[in-house]
């Protein structure tokens, strides 16, 4: 089992304080770099200790995930801060961007890192993001799949047909050329079986989570993904990455006490976004009708579910049993989401337990 770090902070705090309730010392005279302390120091730890990758998302116009409007920019910082670890977008919302621009930006990061980048493509999940878009919200899934092939061909040095400023056809290529001949690719899925199949057909890995699916449901989708991948690509088995909120420590009770408040606030910060995404398929759900008691009830129930069933929490031995259950359903890599609100110093100190878990489950 490979282990990676995954970041998706809520950026609702004041400058220099996002996701951190600890003592910031003289952080104020360093500007807003404190927002990225956990990202950079966590990545350096992972780089020194044999973790597989660091994943950062693309998010727009909301505090939830708001530290990461452009994972290529963040990836460039990680490229020069680390030496070994893979630097991956989890995700690039490709319908918001021209494929040439995606290839250009990530080729720069590939060069800065010496050939360590990878991209998980996503279709997007919030309509307002498409104010930036190259495509309509309704066409997002088709456009995402098309863009995978376009970015891959550009990455290999092939030309791409465009229309120039005079309305004339032109052929363009990407500069600088990337280090890697082939771009490692995943597709981000919230759990739709069709997305798993589409990823397999595209010869792409899958990056997923347990927010909207349980382990039994995930097992069935992974089995379907593997079968389609092998049939479509001559025995190629694919690659499955599972994102899990993670905190490991000395005792389960101590871990629960440490993460309870921060994780509940983190879940609360995203509840209206998540509710709006569900409202698309459930017309009876009105996110604006959720009062404070409704939200508190939902978050309390959600915390118990996350802690007991859908996260990587507890002692090293307890977390190792979770890892074995994931191994049994054919997960290849666990992407440990660590920036959900526990203060930076505590998270960084706790990474030694995650590293012990990684070593025990290698």
């Amino acid at each position: 089992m490979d282990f990676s770090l995954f970041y998706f902070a809520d950026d609702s705090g004041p400058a220099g304080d996002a996701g951190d309730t600890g003592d910031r010392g003289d952080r104020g005279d360093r500007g807003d770099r404190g927002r990225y302390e956990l990202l950079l120091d966590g990545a350096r730890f992972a780089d020194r200790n044999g973790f597989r990758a660091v994943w950062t998302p693309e998010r727009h116009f909301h505090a939830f995930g708001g530290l990461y409007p452009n994972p290529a920019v963040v990836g460039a910082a990680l490229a020069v801060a680390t030496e070994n670890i893979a630097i991956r977008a989890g995700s690039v919302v490709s319908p918001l961007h021209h494929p040439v621009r995606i290839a250009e930006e990530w080729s720069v990061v590939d060069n800065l890192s010496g050939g360590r980048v990878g991209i998980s493509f996503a279709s997007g999940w919030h309509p307002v993001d498409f104010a930036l878009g190259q495509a309509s919200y309704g066409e997002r899934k088709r456009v995402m799949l098309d863009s995978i092939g376009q970015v891959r061909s550009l990455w290999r040095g092939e030309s791409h047909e465009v229309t120039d400023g005079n309305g004339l056809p032109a052929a363009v290529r990407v500069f600088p050329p990337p280090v890697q001949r082939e771009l490692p690719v995943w597709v981000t899925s919230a759990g739709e079986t069709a997305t798993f199949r589409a990823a397999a057909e595209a010869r792409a890995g899958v990056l997923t989570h347990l927010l909207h699916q349980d382990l039994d449901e995930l097992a069935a989708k992974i089995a379907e993904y593997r079968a389609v991948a092998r049939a479509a690509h001559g025995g190629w088995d694919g690659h499955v990455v599972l994102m899990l909120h993670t905190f490991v420590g000395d005792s389960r009770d101590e871990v629960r006490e440490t993460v309870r408040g921060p994780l509940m606030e983190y879940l609360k910060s995203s509840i209206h976004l998540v509710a709006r995404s569900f409202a698309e398929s459930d017309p009876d759900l009105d996110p604006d009708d959720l009062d404070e008691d409704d939200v508190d009830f939902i978050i309390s129930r959600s915390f118990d579910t996350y802690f007991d069933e859908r996260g990587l929490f507890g002692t090293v031995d307890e977390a190792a049993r979770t890892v074995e259950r994931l191994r049994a359903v054919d997960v290849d890599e666990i992407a440990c989401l660590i920036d959900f609100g526990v203060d930076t110093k505590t998270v960084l100190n706790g990474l030694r337990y995650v590293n012990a878990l990684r070593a025990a489950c290698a």
Side-chain angles (χ1 to χ4, degrees), residues 14 34 67 149 163 180 182 211 253 271 278 292 296 303 305 318:
L67 288 181
T163 301
Q180 299 176 95
E182 294 289 338
L211 277 66
D253 289 344
I271 189 168
F278 279 122
E292 197 64 27
D296 289 344
F303 172 79
T305 300
E318 289 167 337

Side-chain angles (χ1 to χ4, degrees), residues 34-342:
R35 295 186 187 278
Y36 296 97
E37 180 184 19
L38 180 53
L39 171 71
L40 293 170
D41 287 353
R44 292 185 185 107
F45 178 93
D47 191 54
R48 295 191 302 268
N49 287 281
F51 285 68
R52 185 70 186 92
V54 179
W55 299 83
T56 56
E58 177 180 347
R59 281 289 297 124
H60 300 285
F61 311 138
H62 197 278
F64 185 67
L67 288 181
Y68 304 105
N70 188 329
V73 173
V74 176
L78 293 172
V80 298
T82 61
E83 296 180 355
N84 306 298
I85 200 163
I87 297 165
R88 298 178 184 160
S91 51
V92 167
V93 184
S94 56
L96 305 185
H97 310 287
H98 197 290
V100 174
R101 194 62 172 152
I102 297 171
E104 283 181 336
E105 290 183 349
W106 283 95
S107 182
V108 171
V109 183
D110 204 47
N111 278 269
L112 286 170
S113 66
R116 292 186 277 135
V117 307
I119 297 176
S120 188
F121 288 77
S123 61
W125 65 295
H126 204 252
V128 73
D129 294 353
F130 284 73
L132 303 174
Q134 294 283 319
S136 70
Y137 184 70
E139 290 291 303
R140 66 193 186 281
K141 294 183 180 181
R142 178 191 61 78
V143 172
M144 178 199 69
L145 293 172
D146 290 344
S147 69
I148 292 174
Q150 293 164 348
V151 173
R152 275 173 161 163
S153 68
L154 286 159
W155 196 268
R156 299 185 190 112
E158 300 168 14
S159 61
H160 185 83
E161 297 297 321
V162 298
T163 301
D164 71 13
N166 292 319
L168 300 174
V172 298
R173 293 172 57 198
V174 165
F175 294 95
V179 174
Q180 299 176 95
R181 172 62 179 170
E182 294 289 338
L183 174 67
V185 168
W186 290 258
V187 171
T188 303
S189 173
E192 292 185 4
T193 303
T195 305
F196 277 69
R197 290 196 197 101
E201 291 166 355
R203 198 182 175 92
V206 170
L207 169 64
T208 191
H209 50 69
L210 294 177
L211 277 66
H212 310 310
Q213 57 188 337
D214 62 28
L215 199 56
D216 289 339
E217 292 169 330
L218 177 61
K221 293 166 191 173
I222 292 175
E224 175 77 6
Y225 167 76
R226 302 288 194 198
V228 173
R230 291 167 187 145
H233 303 289
W236 177 73
D237 208 37
H239 189 262
V240 177
V241 183
L242 180 66
M243 183 277 288
L244 292 176
H245 296 75
T246 299
F247 190 88
V248 184
D250 281 324
S251 78
R252 186 174 183 82
D253 289 344
E254 179 182 308
V255 168
R256 188 181 183 92
E257 180 65 23
T258 299
V259 305
R260 182 177 179 83
L263 183 55
M264 288 179 69
E265 286 301 311
Y266 182 79
L267 295 171
K268 191 173 183 178
S269 73
S270 68
I271 189 168
H272 285 90
L273 283 175
V274 173
R276 289 184 195 284
S277 69
F278 279 122
E280 292 179 22
S281 56
D282 183 359
D284 294 329
L285 176 61
D286 184 351
D288 296 325
D289 280 348
L290 294 174
D291 61 29
E292 197 64 27
D293 289 341
D294 293 332
V295 170
D296 289 344
F297 175 76
I298 292 169
I299 294 304
S300 179
R301 292 289 298 272
S302 295
F303 172 79
D304 291 337
T305 300
Y306 274 86
F307 191 87
D308 294 331
E309 303 173 19
R310 300 191 180 187
L312 196 58
F313 296 114
T315 66
V316 170
D317 288 343
E318 289 167 337
R321 290 194 285 274
T322 299
V323 173
E324 290 310 309
R325 289 194 292 273
L326 298 176
R327 197 196 306 270
V329 302
D330 220 6
V331 171
D332 296 299
E333 177 181 326
I334 298 172
C336 301
L337 193 156
I338 61 172
D339 63 336
F340 53 85
V342 178

